[in-house]
Coordinates of all heavy atoms in Angstrom, one line a residue:
M216 N -5.1 5.6 18.4 CA -4.2 5.5 17.3 C -4.5 6.5 16.2 O -5.7 6.7 15.9 CB -4.3 4.1 16.7 CG -3.5 3.8 15.5 SD -3.7 2.2 14.7 CE -4.1 1.0 16.0
S217 N -3.6 7.3 15.7 CA -3.8 8.3 14.7 C -4.2 7.6 13.4 O -3.8 6.5 13.1 CB -2.6 9.2 14.6 OG -1.6 8.6 13.9
K218 N -4.8 8.4 12.5 CA -5.1 7.9 11.2 C -3.9 7.5 10.4 O -3.8 6.5 9.8 CB -5.9 8.9 10.4 CG -7.3 9.1 10.9 CD -8.0 10.1 10.0 CE -9.4 10.4 10.5 NZ -10.1 11.4 9.7
E219 N -2.9 8.3 10.5 CA -1.6 8.1 9.7 C -1.0 6.8 10.2 O -0.6 6.0 9.4 CB -0.7 9.3 9.9 CG 0.6 9.1 9.0 CD 1.5 10.3 9.0 OE1 1.0 11.4 9.4 OE2 2.6 10.1 8.7
V220 N -0.9 6.6 11.5 CA -0.3 5.4 12.0 C -1.1 4.2 11.6 O -0.6 3.1 11.2 CB -0.2 5.5 13.6 CG1 0.2 4.1 14.2 CG2 0.8 6.5 14.0
M221 N -2.4 4.3 11.7 CA -3.3 3.2 11.4 C -3.1 2.8 9.9 O -3.0 1.7 9.6 CB -4.8 3.6 11.6 CG -5.8 2.4 11.5 SD -6.3 1.9 9.8 CE -6.7 3.4 9.0
L222 N -3.1 3.8 9.0 CA -2.9 3.6 7.6 C -1.6 2.8 7.3 O -1.6 1.9 6.6 CB -3.0 4.9 6.8 CG -4.4 5.5 6.7 CD1 -4.3 6.9 6.2 CD2 -5.3 4.7 5.9
K223 N -0.5 3.3 7.9 CA 0.8 2.7 7.7 C 0.8 1.2 8.3 O 1.3 0.3 7.6 CB 1.9 3.5 8.4 CG 2.2 4.8 7.6 CD 3.2 5.6 8.3 CE 3.5 6.9 7.6 NZ 4.5 7.7 8.2
R224 N 0.3 1.0 9.4 CA 0.2 -0.3 10.0 C -0.6 -1.3 9.2 O -0.2 -2.4 8.9 CB -0.3 -0.3 11.5 CG 0.6 0.2 12.5 CD 0.0 0.1 13.9 NE 1.0 0.7 14.8 CZ 0.7 0.8 16.1 NH1 -0.5 0.4 16.6 NH2 1.5 1.3 17.0
A225 N -1.8 -0.8 8.8 CA -2.7 -1.7 8.0 C -2.1 -2.0 6.7 O -2.1 -3.1 6.2 CB -4.0 -1.0 7.8
F226 N -1.5 -1.0 6.0 CA -0.8 -1.3 4.8 C 0.3 -2.3 4.9 O 0.4 -3.2 4.1 CB -0.3 0.0 4.2 CG 0.3 -0.1 2.8 CD1 -0.5 0.0 1.7 CD2 1.6 -0.3 2.6 CE1 0.0 -0.1 0.4 CE2 2.2 -0.5 1.3 CZ 1.3 -0.4 0.2
N227 N 1.2 -2.1 5.9 CA 2.3 -3.0 6.1 C 1.8 -4.4 6.4 O 2.3 -5.4 5.9 CB 3.2 -2.5 7.2 CG 4.0 -1.3 6.7 OD1 4.2 -1.0 5.5 ND2 4.4 -0.5 7.7
Q228 N 0.8 -4.5 7.3 CA 0.3 -5.8 7.7 C -0.4 -6.5 6.5 O -0.2 -7.7 6.3 CB -0.7 -5.7 8.8 CG 0.0 -5.5 10.1 CD -0.9 -5.4 11.3 OE1 -2.0 -5.9 11.3 NE2 -0.4 -4.9 12.4
A229 N -1.1 -5.8 5.7 CA -1.7 -6.4 4.5 C -0.7 -6.9 3.5 O -0.9 -7.9 2.9 CB -2.6 -5.4 3.8
S230 N 0.4 -6.1 3.4 CA 1.5 -6.6 2.5 C 2.2 -7.8 3.0 O 2.6 -8.6 2.2 CB 2.5 -5.4 2.3 OG 1.8 -4.3 1.7
A231 N 2.3 -7.9 4.3 CA 3.1 -8.9 4.9 C 2.4 -10.2 5.2 O 3.0 -11.2 5.4 CB 3.8 -8.4 6.2
N232 N 1.0 -10.2 5.2 CA 0.3 -11.3 5.7 C 0.1 -12.4 4.7 O -0.5 -13.4 5.0 CB -1.1 -10.9 6.3 CG -2.1 -10.5 5.3 OD1 -1.8 -10.6 4.1 ND2 -3.2 -10.1 5.7
G233 N 0.6 -12.2 3.5 CA 0.5 -13.3 2.5 C -0.6 -13.1 1.5 O -0.7 -13.8 0.5
A234 N -1.5 -12.1 1.8 CA -2.6 -11.9 0.8 C -2.2 -11.2 -0.5 O -2.8 -11.4 -1.5 CB -3.7 -11.1 1.5
V235 N -1.1 -10.5 -0.4 CA -0.5 -9.8 -1.5 C 0.5 -10.7 -2.2 O 1.4 -11.2 -1.6 CB 0.1 -8.5 -1.1 CG1 0.7 -7.8 -2.3 CG2 -1.0 -7.6 -0.5
R236 N 0.3 -11.0 -3.5 CA 1.2 -11.9 -4.2 C 2.2 -11.2 -5.1 O 3.1 -11.9 -5.7 CB 0.3 -12.8 -5.1 CG -0.7 -13.6 -4.3 CD 0.0 -14.7 -3.5 NE -1.1 -15.4 -2.8 CZ -0.9 -15.9 -1.6 NH1 0.2 -15.7 -1.0 NH2 -1.9 -16.6 -1.1
F237 N 2.1 -9.9 -5.2 CA 3.1 -9.1 -6.1 C 3.1 -9.6 -7.5 O 4.2 -9.7 -8.1 CB 4.5 -9.1 -5.4 CG 4.5 -8.5 -4.1 CD1 4.5 -9.3 -2.9 CD2 4.4 -7.1 -3.9 CE1 4.5 -8.7 -1.7 CE2 4.4 -6.5 -2.7 CZ 4.4 -7.3 -1.5
V238 N 2.0 -10.0 -8.0 CA 1.9 -10.5 -9.4 C 1.1 -9.4 -10.2 O 1.5 -9.0 -11.3 CB 1.2 -11.8 -9.5 CG1 1.0 -12.3 -10.9 CG2 2.0 -12.9 -8.7
D239 N 0.0 -9.0 -9.7 CA -0.8 -8.0 -10.4 C -1.0 -6.8 -9.4 O -1.7 -6.9 -8.4 CB -2.2 -8.6 -10.7 CG -3.1 -7.6 -11.5 OD1 -3.0 -6.4 -11.3 OD2 -3.9 -8.1 -12.3
R240 N -0.4 -5.7 -9.7 CA -0.4 -4.5 -8.8 C -1.8 -4.1 -8.5 O -2.1 -3.8 -7.3 CB 0.4 -3.4 -9.5 CG 0.5 -2.2 -8.6 CD 1.3 -1.0 -9.2 NE 0.5 -0.5 -10.3 CZ 0.9 -0.1 -11.4 NH1 2.2 -0.2 -11.7 NH2 0.1 0.4 -12.3
D241 N -2.7 -4.0 -9.5 CA -4.0 -3.5 -9.2 C -4.8 -4.4 -8.2 O -5.5 -4.0 -7.3 CB -4.8 -3.3 -10.5 CG -4.2 -2.2 -11.4 OD1 -3.7 -1.3 -10.8 OD2 -4.3 -2.3 -12.6
V242 N -4.6 -5.7 -8.4 CA -5.3 -6.7 -7.5 C -4.7 -6.6 -6.1 O -5.4 -6.6 -5.1 CB -5.2 -8.1 -8.1 CG1 -5.6 -9.2 -7.1 CG2 -5.9 -8.3 -9.4
D243 N -3.4 -6.5 -6.1 CA -2.7 -6.4 -4.8 C -3.2 -5.2 -4.0 O -3.5 -5.3 -2.8 CB -1.2 -6.3 -5.0 CG -0.6 -7.7 -5.4 OD1 -1.3 -8.7 -5.3 OD2 0.6 -7.7 -5.8
F244 N -3.3 -4.1 -4.7 CA -3.7 -2.9 -4.0 C -5.2 -2.9 -3.6 O -5.6 -2.4 -2.6 CB -3.4 -1.6 -4.8 CG -1.9 -1.2 -4.6 CD1 -1.0 -1.3 -5.6 CD2 -1.5 -0.7 -3.4 CE1 0.3 -1.0 -5.4 CE2 -0.2 -0.3 -3.2 CZ 0.7 -0.5 -4.2
A245 N -6.0 -3.7 -4.4 CA -7.4 -3.9 -4.0 C -7.5 -4.7 -2.7 O -8.3 -4.4 -1.8 CB -8.2 -4.5 -5.2
V246 N -6.7 -5.7 -2.6 CA -6.6 -6.6 -1.4 C -6.2 -5.7 -0.2 O -6.8 -5.8 0.8 CB -5.7 -7.8 -1.6 CG1 -5.4 -8.5 -0.3 CG2 -6.2 -8.7 -2.7
I247 N -5.2 -4.9 -0.4 CA -4.7 -4.0 0.6 C -5.8 -3.1 1.1 O -6.0 -2.9 2.3 CB -3.4 -3.3 0.2 CG1 -2.2 -4.3 0.1 CG2 -3.0 -2.2 1.2 CD1 -1.0 -3.7 -0.6
R248 N -6.5 -2.5 0.1 CA -7.5 -1.5 0.4 C -8.6 -2.2 1.3 O -9.0 -1.6 2.3 CB -8.2 -1.0 -0.9 CG -9.2 0.0 -0.7 CD -10.0 0.2 -2.0 NE -11.3 0.7 -1.7 CZ -12.3 0.0 -1.2 NH1 -12.2 -1.2 -0.8 NH2 -13.5 0.6 -1.0
N249 N -9.0 -3.4 0.9 CA -10.1 -4.1 1.7 C -9.5 -4.4 3.1 O -10.3 -4.3 4.1 CB -10.5 -5.3 1.0 CG -11.3 -5.0 -0.3 OD1 -11.9 -4.0 -0.4 ND2 -11.3 -5.9 -1.2
Y250 N -8.3 -4.8 3.2 CA -7.7 -5.1 4.5 C -7.7 -3.8 5.3 O -8.0 -3.9 6.5 CB -6.3 -5.6 4.3 CG -5.6 -6.1 5.6 CD1 -5.8 -7.4 6.1 CD2 -4.9 -5.2 6.4 CE1 -5.2 -7.8 7.2 CE2 -4.3 -5.6 7.6 CZ -4.5 -6.9 8.0 OH -3.9 -7.2 9.2
M251 N -7.3 -2.7 4.7 CA -7.2 -1.5 5.5 C -8.6 -1.0 6.0 O -8.7 -0.5 7.1 CB -6.6 -0.4 4.6 CG -5.1 -0.6 4.3 SD -4.4 0.6 3.2 CE -4.2 2.0 4.3
V252 N -9.6 -1.2 5.2 CA -11.0 -0.8 5.7 C -11.4 -1.7 6.9 O -11.9 -1.2 7.9 CB -12.0 -1.0 4.5 CG1 -13.4 -1.0 5.0 CG2 -11.8 0.0 3.4
Q253 N -11.1 -3.0 6.8 CA -11.4 -3.9 7.9 C -10.6 -3.6 9.2 O -11.1 -3.6 10.3 CB -11.3 -5.3 7.5 CG -12.2 -5.8 6.4 CD -13.7 -5.6 6.8 OE1 -14.1 -5.9 7.9 NE2 -14.4 -5.0 5.9
Y254 N -9.3 -3.3 8.9 CA -8.4 -2.9 10.0 C -8.9 -1.7 10.8 O -8.9 -1.6 12.0 CB -7.0 -2.7 9.5 CG -5.9 -2.6 10.5 CD1 -5.2 -3.7 11.0 CD2 -5.6 -1.3 11.0 CE1 -4.2 -3.6 11.9 CE2 -4.5 -1.2 12.0 CZ -3.9 -2.3 12.4 OH -2.9 -2.2 13.4
A255 N -9.3 -0.7 10.0 CA -9.8 0.6 10.6 C -11.1 0.3 11.5 O -11.2 0.8 12.6 CB -10.1 1.6 9.5
K256 N -12.0 -0.5 10.9 CA -13.2 -0.8 11.7 C -12.9 -1.6 13.0 O -13.4 -1.3 14.0 CB -14.1 -1.7 10.8 CG -14.8 -0.9 9.7 CD -15.7 -1.8 8.9 CE -16.3 -1.1 7.7 NZ -17.1 -2.0 6.8
K257 N -12.0 -2.6 12.8 CA -11.6 -3.4 14.0 C -11.0 -2.6 15.1 O -11.1 -2.8 16.3 CB -10.6 -4.4 13.5 CG -10.1 -5.4 14.6 CD -9.1 -6.4 14.0 CE -8.0 -6.7 14.9 NZ -7.0 -7.5 14.3
N258 N -10.2 -1.5 14.7 CA -9.5 -0.7 15.7 C -10.2 0.6 16.0 O -9.7 1.5 16.6 CB -8.1 -0.4 15.2 CG -7.2 -1.6 15.3 OD1 -6.8 -2.0 16.3 ND2 -7.0 -2.2 14.1
D259 N -11.5 0.7 15.6 CA -12.3 1.9 15.8 C -11.7 3.2 15.5 O -11.7 4.2 16.2 CB -12.7 1.9 17.3 CG -13.6 0.8 17.7 OD1 -14.5 0.4 16.9 OD2 -13.5 0.3 18.8
V260 N -11.1 3.2 14.3 CA -10.4 4.4 13.8 C -11.3 5.0 12.7 O -11.7 4.3 11.7 CB -9.0 4.2 13.2 CG1 -8.4 5.4 12.6 CG2 -8.1 3.6 14.3
E261 N -11.7 6.2 12.8 CA -12.6 6.9 11.8 C -11.7 7.3 10.6 O -10.9 8.2 10.8 CB -13.2 8.1 12.4 CG -14.3 7.8 13.4 CD -15.5 7.2 12.8 OE1 -15.9 7.7 11.7 OE2 -16.2 6.4 13.4
V262 N -11.8 6.6 9.6 CA -11.0 6.9 8.4 C -11.9 6.7 7.2 O -12.6 5.7 7.1 CB -9.7 6.1 8.3 CG1 -10.0 4.6 8.2 CG2 -8.8 6.6 7.1
S263 N -11.9 7.7 6.3 CA -12.8 7.6 5.1 C -12.2 6.7 4.0 O -11.0 6.5 4.0 CB -13.1 9.0 4.6 OG -12.0 9.5 4.0
E264 N -13.1 6.3 3.1 CA -12.6 5.5 2.0 C -11.7 6.4 1.1 O -10.7 5.9 0.6 CB -13.8 5.1 1.1 CG -14.7 4.1 1.8 CD -14.3 2.7 1.5 OE1 -13.7 2.4 0.5 OE2 -14.7 1.8 2.3
K265 N -12.0 7.7 1.1 CA -11.1 8.6 0.3 C -9.7 8.7 0.9 O -8.7 8.7 0.1 CB -11.8 10.0 0.3 CG -11.1 11.1 -0.5 CD -11.3 10.9 -1.9 CE -10.8 12.1 -2.6 NZ -10.6 11.9 -4.0
E266 N -9.6 8.7 2.2 CA -8.3 8.8 2.8 C -7.5 7.5 2.5 O -6.3 7.6 2.3 CB -8.4 9.0 4.3 CG -8.9 10.4 4.7 CD -9.2 10.5 6.2 OE1 -10.1 9.7 6.7 OE2 -8.6 11.4 6.8
I267 N -8.2 6.4 2.6 CA -7.5 5.1 2.2 C -7.1 5.1 0.8 O -6.0 4.7 0.5 CB -8.4 3.9 2.6 CG1 -8.6 3.8 4.1 CG2 -7.9 2.6 2.0 CD1 -9.6 2.8 4.5
E268 N -8.0 5.6 -0.1 CA -7.6 5.6 -1.5 C -6.4 6.5 -1.8 O -5.5 6.2 -2.6 CB -8.8 6.1 -2.4 CG -10.0 5.1 -2.4 CD -9.6 3.8 -3.1 OE1 -8.8 3.8 -4.1 OE2 -10.2 2.8 -2.8
N269 N -6.4 7.7 -1.1 CA -5.3 8.6 -1.3 C -4.0 8.0 -0.8 O -2.9 8.1 -1.4 CB -5.5 9.9 -0.5 CG -6.6 10.8 -1.2 OD1 -6.9 10.7 -2.4 ND2 -7.2 11.7 -0.4
F270 N -4.0 7.3 0.4 CA -2.8 6.7 0.9 C -2.3 5.6 0.0 O -1.1 5.5 -0.3 CB -3.1 6.1 2.3 CG -1.9 5.5 2.9 CD1 -1.0 6.3 3.6 CD2 -1.7 4.1 2.9 CE1 0.1 5.7 4.2 CE2 -0.5 3.6 3.4 CZ 0.4 4.4 4.1
I271 N -3.2 4.8 -0.6 CA -2.8 3.7 -1.5 C -2.3 4.4 -2.8 O -1.3 3.9 -3.3 CB -4.0 2.8 -1.8 CG1 -4.3 2.0 -0.5 CG2 -3.7 1.9 -3.0 CD1 -5.5 1.1 -0.6
G272 N -2.9 5.5 -3.2 CA -2.3 6.1 -4.4 C -0.9 6.6 -4.2 O -0.1 6.5 -5.1
Q273 N -0.6 7.1 -3.0 CA 0.7 7.5 -2.7 C 1.7 6.4 -2.7 O 2.8 6.5 -3.2 CB 0.8 8.2 -1.3 CG 0.1 9.5 -1.2 CD -0.1 10.0 0.2 OE1 0.3 9.3 1.1 NE2 -0.6 11.2 0.4
Q274 N 1.2 5.2 -2.2 CA 2.1 4.0 -2.2 C 2.3 3.5 -3.6 O 3.4 3.1 -3.9 CB 1.5 3.0 -1.3 CG 1.3 3.4 0.2 CD 2.6 3.9 0.8 OE1 3.6 3.3 0.7 NE2 2.5 5.1 1.4
M275 N 1.3 3.6 -4.4 CA 1.5 3.1 -5.8 C 2.5 4.0 -6.5 O 3.3 3.5 -7.3 CB 0.1 3.2 -6.5 CG -0.8 2.1 -6.1 SD -2.4 2.2 -6.9 CE -2.1 1.2 -8.4
T276 N 2.4 5.3 -6.3 CA 3.4 6.2 -6.9 C 4.8 5.9 -6.4 O 5.7 5.8 -7.3 CB 3.1 7.7 -6.6 OG1 1.8 8.0 -7.1 CG2 4.1 8.6 -7.2
K277 N 5.0 5.6 -5.2 CA 6.3 5.3 -4.6 C 6.8 4.0 -5.3 O 7.9 3.8 -5.6 CB 6.3 5.1 -3.1 CG 6.1 6.5 -2.4 CD 6.0 6.2 -0.9 CE 5.8 7.5 -0.2 NZ 5.6 7.3 1.3
M278 N 5.9 3.0 -5.4 CA 6.2 1.7 -6.0 C 6.7 1.9 -7.4 O 7.7 1.3 -7.9 CB 5.0 0.8 -5.9 CG 5.3 -0.6 -6.5 SD 3.8 -1.5 -6.6 CE 4.3 -3.0 -5.7
K279 N 6.0 2.7 -8.2 CA 6.4 3.0 -9.6 C 7.8 3.6 -9.7 O 8.6 3.2 -10.5 CB 5.3 3.9 -10.3 CG 4.0 3.2 -10.6 CD 3.0 4.2 -11.2 CE 1.7 3.6 -11.3 NZ 0.7 4.5 -11.7
E280 N 8.0 4.6 -8.8 CA 9.3 5.3 -8.8 C 10.4 4.3 -8.4 O 11.5 4.3 -9.0 CB 9.3 6.5 -7.8 CG 8.4 7.6 -8.3 CD 8.2 8.6 -7.2 OE1 8.7 8.5 -6.1 OE2 7.4 9.6 -7.5
T281 N 10.2 3.5 -7.4 CA 11.2 2.5 -7.0 C 11.5 1.5 -8.1 O 12.6 1.1 -8.3 CB 10.7 1.7 -5.7 OG1 10.4 2.7 -4.7 CG2 11.7 0.7 -5.2
T282 N 10.4 1.1 -8.8 CA 10.6 0.1 -9.9 C 11.4 0.7 -11.0 O 12.3 0.1 -11.5 CB 9.2 -0.3 -10.4 OG1 8.5 -0.9 -9.3 CG2 9.3 -1.4 -11.5
K283 N 11.1 2.0 -11.3 CA 11.9 2.7 -12.4 C 13.4 2.8 -11.9 O 14.3 2.5 -12.7 CB 11.3 4.1 -12.6 CG 10.0 4.1 -13.4 CD 9.5 5.5 -13.6 CE 8.2 5.5 -14.2 NZ 7.6 6.9 -14.2
D284 N 13.6 3.2 -10.7 CA 15.0 3.3 -10.2 C 15.7 1.9 -10.3 O 16.9 1.9 -10.7 CB 15.0 3.8 -8.8 CG 14.6 5.3 -8.7 OD1 14.6 6.0 -9.7 OD2 14.3 5.7 -7.5
F285 N 15.0 0.9 -9.8 CA 15.6 -0.4 -9.8 C 15.9 -0.9 -11.3 O 17.0 -1.4 -11.5 CB 14.7 -1.4 -9.1 CG 15.2 -2.8 -9.1 CD1 16.3 -3.1 -8.2 CD2 14.7 -3.8 -9.9 CE1 16.8 -4.4 -8.2 CE2 15.3 -5.1 -9.9 CZ 16.3 -5.4 -9.0
T286 N 15.0 -0.7 -12.2 CA 15.2 -1.1 -13.6 C 16.4 -0.3 -14.2 O 17.2 -0.9 -14.8 CB 13.9 -0.8 -14.4 OG1 12.8 -1.5 -13.8 CG2 14.1 -1.2 -15.8
Y287 N 16.5 1.0 -13.9 CA 17.6 1.8 -14.4 C 18.9 1.3 -13.9 O 19.9 1.1 -14.6 CB 17.4 3.3 -14.0 CG 18.5 4.1 -14.4 CD1 18.7 4.5 -15.8 CD2 19.4 4.6 -13.5 CE1 19.8 5.3 -16.1 CE2 20.5 5.4 -13.9 CZ 20.7 5.7 -15.2 OH 21.7 6.5 -15.6
Q288 N 19.0 1.0 -12.5 CA 20.2 0.6 -11.9 C 20.6 -0.8 -12.5 O 21.8 -1.0 -12.7 CB 20.0 0.5 -10.4 CG 20.0 1.9 -9.8 CD 19.7 1.8 -8.3 OE1 19.6 0.8 -7.7 NE2 19.5 3.0 -7.7
T289 N 19.6 -1.6 -12.7 CA 19.9 -3.0 -13.3 C 20.5 -2.9 -14.7 O 21.5 -3.5 -15.0 CB 18.7 -3.8 -13.3 OG1 18.1 -3.9 -12.0 CG2 18.9 -5.2 -13.8
K290 N 19.9 -2.0 -15.5 CA 20.5 -1.8 -16.8 C 21.9 -1.2 -16.8 O 22.7 -1.6 -17.6 CB 19.5 -0.8 -17.6 CG 18.2 -1.4 -18.0 CD 17.4 -0.5 -18.8 CE 16.1 -1.1 -19.2 NZ 15.2 -0.1 -19.9
M291 N 22.2 -0.3 -15.9 CA 23.5 0.3 -15.8 C 24.5 -0.8 -15.4 O 25.7 -0.7 -15.7 CB 23.5 1.5 -14.8 CG 22.6 2.6 -15.3 SD 23.1 3.2 -16.9 CE 24.6 4.0 -16.6
M292 N 24.1 -1.7 -14.6 CA 25.0 -2.8 -14.1 C 25.4 -3.8 -15.2 O 26.5 -4.4 -15.1 CB 24.5 -3.5 -12.9 CG 24.4 -2.6 -11.7 SD 23.5 -3.4 -10.3 CE 24.7 -4.7 -9.9
N293 N 24.5 -4.0 -16.1 CA 24.7 -5.0 -17.2 C 25.5 -4.4 -18.3 O 25.7 -3.6 -18.8 CB 23.4 -5.6 -17.6 CG 22.8 -6.4 -16.5 OD1 23.5 -6.9 -15.7 ND2 21.5 -6.4 -16.5

């Protein structure tokens, strides 16, 4: 399994398994980070903490952009 595939799978599974509550973004991403570290170990994929942090940072940026877009669209509809 490539690192990129592992990161995406681990991130998606961590988000979907119920551990993430979507209440506090920082806590949710900490939970996801820990899940990803364990997932990599379990699947014998060599991935550094830095790579995981970078991937999560990218996801956080996407989440912020999506939230802004959604908020703008909601305002325009009202």
Side-chain angles (χ1 to χ4, degrees):
M216 177 181 329
S217 73
K218 287 182 186 180
E219 185 175 339
V220 169
M221 189 284 309
L222 290 169
K223 288 179 182 179
R224 282 185 183 175
F226 185 87
N227 290 337
Q228 286 182 16
S230 299
N232 76 1
V235 176
R236 301 289 182 218
F237 299 102
V238 176
D239 182 332
R240 184 181 70 223
D241 293 331
V242 171
D243 288 344
F244 279 108
V246 169
I247 290 169
R248 182 192 156 290
N249 290 335
Y250 185 91
M251 292 175 79
V252 168
Q253 295 305 314
Y254 189 90
K256 287 179 186 176
K257 178 179 145 186
N258 289 287
D259 295 323
V260 176
E261 291 287 325
V262 62
S263 70
E264 296 270 336
K265 181 79 172 164
E266 289 171 303
I267 290 173
E268 292 293 332
N269 287 340
F270 184 82
I271 289 174
Q273 292 170 357
Q274 298 309 310
M275 289 178 85
T276 300
K277 289 178 184 178
M278 179 187 236
K279 289 177 188 174
E280 291 170 0
T281 302
T282 303
K283 286 179 188 174
D284 290 345
F285 180 74
T286 302
Y287 175 77
Q288 290 175 4
T289 303
K290 287 180 182 177
M291 295 303 292
M292 293 175 65
N293 293 329

